[in-house]
Structures are given as structure tokens and as C-alpha cells.
Amino acid sequence: MTDVTTGTSHPPTPGPAADAQRLRAALAAVRAEVGKAVVGQDGAVTGLMIALLARGHVLLEGVPGVAKTLLVRSLSHALSLDTKRVQFTPDLMPGDVTGSLVYDAQTGGFVFREGPVFTNILLADEINRTPPKTQSALLEAMEERQVSVDGVSRRLPDPFIVAATQNPIEYEGTYALPEAQLDRFLLKLTLDVPERDTEVEVLRRHAAGFNPRDLTAAGVTPVLGAADLAAARESAAAVGANADVLAYIVDLARATRRSPSVRLGVSPRGTTALLAAAKAWAWLSGYESITPDHVQAMLLPVWRHRIQLRPEAELEGVGADAILRSIVQQVQVPI
């Protein structure tokens, strides 16, 4: 491009499309960095990226030893984000998570000591092992991005997401998350035991000296900062959605409320969550507007924890995923 005032030539200014492409490439580099430490959990990595782009929280469900904690630590390291881990136990108190007022002998007054929730990515390990009183301490942080103690509200860092883990098969000494708290999670991701070839690769890395506690030695390096992540969020939020696709999301939600196997269907919060996740997935895939395919791809992780089944359906062994797949097949897709 030539400057008409001086006659000199300047390179063209990158537009929004070029910037979005650069940010997508950077997030692809993040995936590659996480892959240096975590093998065989590509879907969970994508889910965590979608949650970051959509400003949502993630519930990771899987048996012990499938790299749930390592996955979160690797992602935060590759993103140059601060992360803190809380091991939820039956004796954990709300102040142990949010922070509390402590007496300062030097000043003779009380000062606020921040809890681990003041971070970018909070790893809430085995969140269902702590009583509801402590679980509820996260509700305000997850929804409002702030903590209120003694009548004073304190903002949390941006970005802020909760990545909570739970074991799907061990129920002794656990407390099921209430529906109000489950609804605060944008996604529920299931991490399965890896396939044989993947597990062989895990053992090969450990045999070669891989230490999951030393990500730097494993070669995981920061490749994306908070500023670029904020720009990627804005770009993803700008992805379009036409009226037919919006109506399709609503029709799917209404179908869950009418299903004979469902006691409580998806709420309007669930429809907005599906829209946000579909936008993030469409942006990562290089689309300028969401399609029914993006909606269907995100429907299970966004809604599987938002519907309550009737007792008779649970006795028959029918799961939430199967019901949602059936609903997708029944609801007409806009052309």
C-alpha cells in the first residue's frame, strides 16, 4: 500500500481475519506443547481451550491416573497462566478456598489473606469429596468472578476458570454436586483410559525419563500469553449465528424438557452455554458463523451434566449421553 501523502510504500495492515489466523496458530502451538506431557487426551485439551475462549469452567471426570491434573498443569504452563491446586477433603473450610480475614499483630487489625481461588486456573481436585458448604464457596467465584468476605467484594484475576475433577466410580465419602453448581460448569469432559498404543507411548516416555512433576524438563514452554488469549476470546465472541441456528438450539433444549426419560431438562442458561461453546469451536475451526454441526459437536459436553434423568431411566441403565444423541436425531436440522 502506498501512502498518498508521502509517496512511500508500507506493508498492508493485518486485518481481523489475519489476526484471527495468527491466534488460531498460536493455540495450535499450545496444543502441541501440551502434547509433550499428555498423550491421548486430545478431546479434553480441545475442551479446555473452548472453555478458556468461552469464559467457562470445566468438570473433568475420569478414573484416577488418566492425567487430569497433569493436563491442567500443562495447559496453564503453555499459556503462561498462574495455576493453583486445591485438594478437596471433608474437613476443607470455605475460607481455605476463598481466603479469610486474619489478625495482624503489627497493625492491630484484620487483613484479608487471599485464598488459592485468586489465580487464573484453579484446579479443584476431587471436588465432590468436600461438603456442600465448601462446594458453595466456589459459586460466587465461578459466576461473578469475585469473592465477598466481610461485606467486601474482591475481583478475581482475568482470565479465571475452575477445572474441577471427580471420580465417576467411587462414591464412598463423597458429596454429589448440587444442580445449581453443576449448571455453573460450561463443559463436562470425560477422560477415558487410553488405547493400547497410547498407553505404550506413555510408558515409553516414562522409560525415557519423563517426570510429570517437571514440565520444563519435559520441554513444555509458554507459547501464548494473557493478552493474546484475551484477543482470541474477543474474536471468538464475534462469530456469527443466524436465526435458524439459534432456533435450532432452542428446539433441542425444549426437546430435553419433553423427553419421557428426563425429569429436568436444559435451562435457558444451558442454551446460552451451548451457543458460547459452539462459537468457540467454530472459531477454532476457522468459521465466521456457527453451523448446526458445531452445535451438535458441543451438545454432549455442554448438556450431559445439565439434565436430570427419571429414576426408571436410570434403573434401565440409560445414560444422559444416549438420551441427548436420540434427541439430536429427532429434532429437525435447519438447512
Side-chain angles (χ1 to χ4, degrees):
M1 180 182 296
T2 301
D3 189 331
V4 295
T5 61
T6 63
T8 57
S9 179
H10 300 289
T13 302
D19 192 49
Q21 186 61 34
R22 178 186 65 82
L23 293 171
R24 277 192 289 266
L27 285 171
V30 170
R31 181 193 298 275
E33 292 300 315
V34 174
K36 295 177 181 178
V38 181
V39 184
Q41 299 294 356
D42 293 342
V45 175
T46 300
L48 283 168
M49 287 184 175
I50 288 172
L52 281 166
L53 290 171
R55 295 177 169 86
H57 309 287
V58 180
L59 183 61
L60 301 169
E61 187 174 87
V63 298
V66 290
K68 299 186 294 294
T69 302
L70 179 61
L71 172 61
V72 175
R73 289 178 53 242
S74 302
L75 181 65
S76 62
H77 190 78
L79 289 170
S80 298
L81 297 178
D82 180 51
T83 183
K84 292 178 182 174
R85 176 180 177 272
V86 178
Q87 180 65 52
F88 280 73
T89 57
D91 60 348
L92 195 71
M93 299 299 292
D96 297 330
V97 178
T98 61
S100 57
L101 294 173
V102 297
Y103 181 73
D104 188 344
Q106 293 183 348
T107 62
F110 287 89
V111 296
F112 179 72
R113 179 175 294 171
E114 293 183 350
V117 74
F118 286 85
T119 186
N120 296 126
I121 301 180
L122 176 67
L123 176 57
D125 220 349
E126 296 186 292
I127 190 174
N128 57 335
R129 286 201 172 277
T130 199
K133 180 179 180 180
T134 304
Q135 291 175 359
S136 64
L138 280 175
L139 281 175
E140 182 186 15
M142 294 173 70
E143 186 64 21
E144 305 295 337
R145 264 68 175 183
Q146 67 179 23
V147 168
S148 297
V149 177
D150 197 32
V152 179
S153 297
R154 296 171 174 85
R155 299 297 301 177
L156 296 174
D158 184 41
F160 169 75
I161 73 165
V162 174
T165 71
Q166 66 177 12
N167 186 336
I169 61 172
E170 190 174 355
Y171 298 106
E172 184 177 354
T174 63
Y175 305 84
L177 293 176
E179 287 74 20
Q181 183 137 17
L182 281 173
D183 203 38
R184 294 318 197 270
F185 286 99
L186 176 70
L187 305 175
K188 179 182 178 181
L189 306 175
T190 57
L191 281 72
D192 299 321
V193 175
E195 299 291 337
R196 180 183 182 277
D197 291 345
T198 303
E199 194 165 2
V200 169
E201 173 62 19
V202 171
L203 282 183
R204 187 195 66 77
R205 293 189 180 192
H206 279 265
F210 171 71
N211 182 2
R213 297 170 186 82
D214 189 352
L215 295 177
T216 302
V220 181
T221 57
V223 292
L224 189 71
D228 279 338
L229 179 59
R233 284 176 158 186
E234 292 182 5
S235 184
V239 169
N242 63 46
D244 288 342
V245 176
L246 296 179
Y248 179 55
I249 294 175
V250 172
D251 289 342
L252 289 168
R254 293 175 66 85
T256 67
R257 302 165 196 161
R258 296 192 301 265
S259 173
S261 300
V262 177
R263 181 167 63 90
L264 180 64
V266 173
S267 69
R269 191 204 303 270
T271 60
T272 59
L274 181 56
L275 174 62
K279 279 189 171 187
W281 177 231
W283 182 84
L284 278 174
S285 304
Y287 286 77
E288 296 182 356
S289 183
I290 64 173
T291 69
D293 287 340
H294 299 127
V295 173
Q296 293 175 4
M298 297 309 306
L299 187 138
L300 287 183
V302 176
W303 281 2
R304 60 165 53 111
H305 58 293
R306 299 177 188 270
I307 63 174
Q308 295 182 30
L309 305 184
R310 295 186 182 277
E312 52 269 29
E314 294 179 341
L315 289 174
E316 294 174 0
V318 179
D321 284 14
I323 291 173
L324 291 173
R325 290 191 184 98
S326 175
I327 287 173
V328 169
Q329 294 176 352
Q330 296 170 13
V331 175
Q332 183 176 358
V333 180
I335 300 177

